[in-house]
Amino acid sequence: MDTNQLLIENLASTSQITIRKFKSLGINTYSDLLDYFPYRYENYSLLTQIDKVQIEETVTIQGKIIEAKNQYTRSRITIQKIIVQDKTGSIEINWFNQPYLIRLFTIGETISVAGLVKQFGSKLTLEPKEYEIGAKRIHTGRIVPIYSEKKGLSSKTIREKIYAILNTTAAIVCRVAETLPKEIITFNSLIDKNKAYQQIHFPDDLEIAKRARERLAFDELFNLQLANNLIKKEWKKEKVENMFRVGTVHELSVQKFISDLPFILTRDQKKVIDEIINDLKKTVPMNRFLQGDVGSGKTVVAAVVCYLSFLNGYQSIIMAPTEILAQQHYQTFVKIFVRNGLKPFPNITLVTSSTKKNTPCTTLHHPTTPYDIIIGTHALLSQKLKFEKVGLVIIDEQHRFGVNQRAILKEKALNSHLLTMTATPIPRTVALTLYGELDLSYITEMPKGRQVIKTFLIPKEKRGVGYHWIKNQIKEKQAQVFIICPLIEESESETLKSIKAAKIEYESLKNIFSEFKVGLLHGKIKAEEKNQVMIDFKNNKINILVSTSIVEVGIDIPGATIMIIEGAERFGLAQLHQLRGRIGRSDKQSYCLLFSENMSDKTTKRLNFFCKNNLGIKLAEFDLINRGAGNIFGTEQHGFINLKIASLTDYELINKAKKAVEYFVGKYEIEDWKELNRGVEKYRGRQISRD
Ligand code: ADP
Ligand code: MG
């Protein structure tokens, strides 16, 4: 039996409740539980006789309980006092306010207690950290793993169950199988996989714990990159359903289209368009990932590519994560195509959950109507919609979509070219690791004439001055202002709580800025109303727009030049950057003011770094190093692989694993490596399937 087949239900002396809790964490097998890694350790390995303990030392003592009682104090604090004796002496140990403990402590029973030795009057006492009754030493007398406590599962329970798997069953029935070829292990000086699992949970010393972590991180990076490598290979065998022809005539038309744009494309925009056109000439479907900082002009790149698809007589589908953004893309596209005075003119339509009632797209009642460019939200995924001759699919802000959503769209548009775009600043090494199966394009250059946004961290007492300054800016320069309310819940999804906060903020700001028109935007406002607010704001009929962080993605209001971000410390830097990217979209000077209730040194340092840096990638790297990967993407991590143990900043290990993958695919077939294949399948499953 291996750990993958042993179900969590088989754990001995484990309650149904605990089993259910494990399951709710996605832990179904022994293997899953072994993959729940500790995030740190406590060192309780110093086993001491009671007469040898030293003040301020962390030790484990073991002895018999000779006294146990509850003591009540006048200040309502209860003390659980026990005395433990070994052959050298006795020591007093006190817990506080846990009266039920006393029932667990039977006189005469053996107990191990790990804790900190303290002087108390003339005596020494032990300030307990962990204890266990009986002669076992799972939680004391060793380096003890600490697990993150979720769904009401304590670190202690998790530790106990993992210990049981590794020490009762594992040794006899289910060793963790080795997955890698020997020479890869030797070449990279890795430790054996079974040992790695033993040592990451219950290390002999911290040095070996580190090596265990390295081994398991290597595996994770290896599996992920191998999966990407295999996917890419498979894709290479596929044929495009609707072949593009990109001859001289089409290239000239595209050149004309570009030169008719109201601005000159940046070098990076041109480079990316070339890369894409190159892909479109091939018989293999394009699979390109375009990363470009906020405001770098990805939409127009998308428009150019759609134009080429149109010239070939194919439909293009563009999917955006929010209604506002889809609407905006629709308007931008119509504007670009109308302005360029194209003949024939492509038929553009918008599909969102509310478009049936909306004017521009009332005609989309016949699913097979030959629209050339179809822009929409996830409403595009609806069963009823069938597409005719799709040549190109573009997914904007791709990380906002779940894997399934992307897969459905792919299915509908079988074997067409795919372009995914994101403003999420993913450092190149990270992108190569996570999305190695895709071809990457970067736009790093900003359109000409943009001024760097001036960002300031405003101390509490200057809030009034800030408001006064804004009033002047609106009066004198017709400045338009975004005010972003703090992120309330952990999740970015529009919770009732954050909407309520936005409404309160809105009411109070209406008073402060009574001479101006103040608007409100949040996720629960009806789509039509939302559109109206956006249109009014765009036309400067609204001076100040109070909003939850839904404006974060993609919105383009060139007249907005001031942004206030309340509760700035609650956002990751990459998110703040996305928000700030809503201003500074014209040649006027823009200003971003950060307000924060929490001015701890750490927050101040982070936010000051943000004030001084305007490059998304720089900010993302800062948060990646200081706060982990989750912060690049906000808390909404659809479609983003959560690495369990490897760090995306460990470039050295990423590269080692990459080299190992290259070696592996040159020499072996994955089918011959059953155990390894299982680990790799997990990542292959997440990919957009093309068959
Ligand atoms: P993002 O990459 O964040 O999606 P957008 O495509 O929304 O950015 O573009 C931001 C703004 O910059 C838009 O108003 C767009 O019209 C403008 N823009 C795009 N490319 C250029 C360019 N080469 N020169 C000047 N302005 C540009
Ligand atoms: Mg965009």
Side-chain angles (χ1 to χ4, degrees):
M1 262 309 219
D2 70 37
T3 48
N4 278 294
Q5 283 150 357
L6 280 167
L7 297 178
I8 206 84
E9 283 89 340
N10 293 324
L11 277 174
S13 44
T14 304
S15 72
Q16 283 307 312
I17 299 174
T18 303
I19 287 171
R20 233 173 305 151
K21 285 177 183 168
F22 276 131
K23 286 190 163 173
S24 71
L25 282 176
I27 296 172
N28 295 307
T29 64
Y30 281 19
S31 211
D32 294 338
L33 187 49
L34 289 182
D35 279 338
Y36 199 85
F37 300 117
Y39 67 94
R40 66 181 182 91
Y41 303 95
E42 283 290 353
N43 193 346
Y44 300 143
S45 58
L46 187 62
L47 275 162
T48 313
Q49 292 183 328
I50 291 175
D51 71 343
K52 298 262 166 33
V53 300
Q54 309 265 351
I55 298 172
E56 292 303 323
E57 209 171 40
T58 299
V59 297
T60 296
I61 57 108
Q62 190 173 66
K64 287 206 178 348
I65 301 172
I66 56 168
E67 209 182 302
K69 63 175 181 224
N70 271 316
Q71 260 184 10
Y72 299 89
T73 67
R74 255 176 287 162
S75 51
R76 293 231 191 110
I77 294 169
T78 67
I79 305 173
Q80 289 68 54
K81 182 184 293 260
I82 69 169
I83 296 176
V84 176
Q85 187 177 53
D86 69 5
K87 39 182 201 301
T88 67
S90 64
I91 193 163
E92 188 182 300
I93 305 166
N94 295 319
W95 283 265
F96 296 95
N97 294 330
Q98 301 170 67
Y100 60 90
L101 278 179
I102 289 299
R103 265 179 285 136
L104 306 175
F105 298 145
T106 318
I107 306 287
E109 190 136 39
T110 303
I111 188 169
S112 285
V113 186
L116 187 64
V117 181
K118 287 277 180 192
Q119 173 113 36
F120 187 69
S122 60
K123 295 185 298 196
L124 294 180
T125 64
L126 192 62
E127 199 179 283
K129 305 275 191 213
E130 278 284 3
Y131 70 90
E132 61 195 313
I133 292 166
K136 281 179 301 177
R137 290 227 187 82
I138 301 175
H139 310 290
T140 60
R142 60 161 68 244
I143 295 174
V144 172
I146 310 293
Y147 301 93
S148 95
E149 305 194 324
K150 288 188 189 146
K151 306 266 175 198
L153 277 164
S154 70
S155 182
K156 198 164 182 171
T157 306
I158 298 169
R159 185 185 307 135
E160 195 174 295
K161 302 306 167 193
I162 291 179
Y163 186 88
I165 293 178
L166 287 172
N167 291 281
T168 42
T169 8
I172 324 158
V173 232
C174 60
R175 277 177 64 89
V176 181
E178 185 51 72
T179 46
L180 293 177
K182 268 212 179 60
E183 66 275 27
I184 291 184
I185 296 176
T186 324
F187 184 78
N188 293 288
S189 331
L190 301 171
I191 62 170
D192 165 62
K193 189 153 185 161
N194 194 57
K195 184 171 176 188
Y197 272 102
Q198 290 280 352
Q199 294 295 328
I200 192 146
H201 291 293
F202 296 98
D204 295 336
D205 56 59
L206 292 173
E207 189 50 37
I208 188 85
K210 210 170 119 199
R211 297 206 59 205
R213 190 163 286 272
E214 182 183 298
R215 163 69 214 252
L216 298 171
F218 181 93
D219 280 23
E220 191 167 37
L221 294 167
F222 181 89
N223 290 357
L224 175 59
Q225 296 188 80
L226 178 55
N228 290 341
N229 187 299
L230 296 169
I231 293 165
K232 195 164 188 169
K233 231 189 225 161
E234 263 164 42
W235 283 351
K236 287 257 158 74
K237 290 186 205 142
E238 283 171 12
K239 285 258 177 310
V240 187
E241 192 108 318
N242 294 320
M243 265 289 287
F244 276 59
R245 253 175 309 151
V246 195
T248 329
V249 178
H250 285 164
E251 294 223 32
L252 283 175
S253 304
V254 169
Q255 284 317 323
K256 176 155 189 339
F257 184 87
I258 290 174
S259 59
D260 285 345
L261 288 168
F263 41 70
I264 298 167
L265 290 185
T266 63
R267 239 178 313 144
D268 276 358
Q269 283 171 319
K270 283 191 202 140
K271 178 198 71 187
V272 170
I273 290 171
D274 283 347
E275 284 168 345
I276 295 172
I277 290 181
N278 235 346
D279 288 348
L280 299 180
K281 289 178 180 167
K282 295 182 186 151
T283 52
V284 182
M286 166 172 79
N287 232 315
R288 191 163 283 281
F289 183 82
L290 168 57
Q291 201 281 335
D293 215 338
V294 268
S296 63
K298 295 183 291 298
T299 316
V300 65
V301 170
V304 172
V305 187
C306 289
Y307 178 58
L308 187 59
S309 171
F310 167 68
L311 291 179
N312 274 274
Y314 299 134
Q315 288 188 319
S316 302
I317 301 175
I318 301 164
M319 183 161 80
T322 66
E323 182 134 7
I324 296 184
L325 198 53
Q327 180 85 36
Q328 182 184 287
H329 280 339
Y330 174 77
Q331 280 154 6
T332 308
F333 269 60
V334 171
K335 210 164 73 193
I336 291 177
F337 285 102
V338 170
R339 194 185 176 285
N340 275 13
L342 292 177
K343 268 186 225 133
F345 185 76
N347 247 328
I348 309 176
T349 189
L350 178 68
V351 179
T352 69
S353 52
S354 50
T355 45
K356 275 171 232 109
K357 293 163 265 163
N358 245 349
T359 29
C361 23
T362 36
T363 39
L364 200 90
H365 286 137
H366 307 289
T368 53
T369 319
Y371 282 104
D372 302 302
I373 299 174
I374 302 156
I375 300 172
T377 56
H378 51 266
L380 286 168
L381 305 174
S382 143
Q383 290 270 318
K384 279 178 260 156
L385 279 181
K386 295 222 168 40
F387 303 114
E388 282 284 275
K389 283 176 73 183
V390 181
L392 172 72
V393 172
I394 298 178
I395 302 179
D396 195 17
E397 304 296 345
Q398 63 84 32
H399 66 282
R400 290 300 176 117
F401 291 102
V403 180
N404 288 342
Q405 291 173 313
R406 285 186 276 166
I408 295 170
L409 188 59
K410 265 327 298 144
E411 233 160 68
K412 281 175 173 275
L414 199 66
N415 280 11
S416 50
H417 294 291
L418 176 66
L419 175 68
T420 48
M421 310 199 291
T422 188
T424 305
I426 310 168
R428 194 180 274 269
T429 338
V430 174
L432 278 171
T433 315
L434 296 180
Y435 305 113
E437 77 280 16
L438 306 170
D439 294 310
L440 303 182
S441 287
Y442 275 79
I443 301 182
T444 45
E445 189 186 12
M446 284 291 167
K448 265 220 180 74
R450 294 279 169 83
Q451 298 196 40
V452 171
I453 300 167
K454 291 191 175 153
T455 307
F456 304 97
L457 182 55
I458 309 287
K460 247 190 223 158
E461 62 276 13
K462 294 259 173 75
R463 184 180 279 269
V465 180
Y467 285 157
H468 186 73
W469 175 80
I470 287 178
K471 284 181 189 173
N472 281 340
Q473 291 283 314
I474 301 176
K475 276 186 212 143
E476 286 163 19
K477 302 192 177 151
Q478 286 76 48
Q480 288 184 273
V481 186
F482 274 115
I483 299 185
I484 310 297
C485 301
L487 197 66
I488 301 246
E489 295 284 288
E490 274 283 270
S491 106
E492 258 176 70
S493 60
E494 289 296 333
T495 59
L496 290 174
K497 230 171 155 185
S498 65
I499 289 167
K500 199 170 150 215
K503 281 184 185 156
I504 292 170
E505 182 84 15
Y506 170 63
E507 291 304 326
S508 106
L509 286 165
K510 265 205 306 201
N511 282 331
I512 296 171
F513 294 101
S514 53
E515 68 263 53
F516 302 113
K517 181 98 178 70
V518 184
L520 174 66
L521 192 68
H522 60 68
K524 285 282 181 308
I525 291 177
K526 282 205 202 80
E528 289 151 55
E529 214 177 304
K530 223 187 268 175
N531 271 332
Q532 197 53 51
V533 171
M534 290 316 294
I535 291 167
D536 287 350
F537 195 45
K538 199 153 197 162
N539 296 332
N540 205 359
K541 285 191 191 143
I542 291 176
N543 307 103
I544 300 175
L545 184 61
V546 180
S547 171
T548 54
S549 57
I550 61 168
V551 299
E552 183 191 337
V553 182
I555 290 174
D556 189 34
I557 311 273
T561 51
I562 299 176
M563 174 174 280
I564 288 184
I565 305 177
E566 297 279 353
E569 79 282 359
R570 304 199 197 174
F571 296 95
L573 292 189
Q575 271 175 299
L576 282 177
H577 182 64
Q578 269 275 359
L579 285 169
R580 181 170 62 181
R582 299 308 116 221
I583 57 173
R585 294 183 152 250
S586 65
D587 46 12
K588 284 188 218 141
Q589 178 62 54
S590 287
Y591 303 89
C592 178
L593 312 183
L594 308 177
F595 289 135
S596 164
E597 292 303 312
N598 166 346
M599 286 291 200
S600 71
D601 285 355
K602 216 169 151 196
T603 306
T604 310
K605 188 171 153 230
R606 255 182 88 235
L607 295 180
N608 274 331
F609 186 84
F610 179 73
C611 292
K612 292 201 195 80
N613 283 282
N614 276 283
L615 270 186
I617 299 272
K618 270 243 160 75
L619 296 167
E621 267 170 348
F622 184 91
D623 259 4
L624 195 62
I625 290 163
N626 292 289
R627 313 214 309 175
N631 275 287
I632 297 191
F633 297 88
T635 37
E636 228 170 71
Q637 293 188 23
H638 303 301
F640 175 64
I641 309 126
N642 252 324
L643 292 178
K644 280 209 172 92
I645 187 161
S647 156
L648 286 171
T649 44
D650 192 347
Y651 299 148
E652 202 184 319
L653 198 65
I654 291 175
N655 278 329
K656 268 187 174 180
K658 185 172 179 218
K659 290 219 171 82
V661 164
E662 279 157 16
Y663 167 83
F664 182 90
V665 294
K667 182 159 180 197
Y668 298 110
E669 294 294 331
I670 183 74
E671 286 73 24
D672 301 332
W673 295 80
K674 198 170 131 260
E675 291 300 333
L676 177 63
N677 202 11
R678 190 174 8 226
V680 173
E681 277 299 323
K682 198 170 74 195
Y683 297 110
R684 293 175 85 171
R686 92 186 151 89
Q687 299 295 342
I688 300 161
S689 132
R690 278 208 174 259
D691 39 50

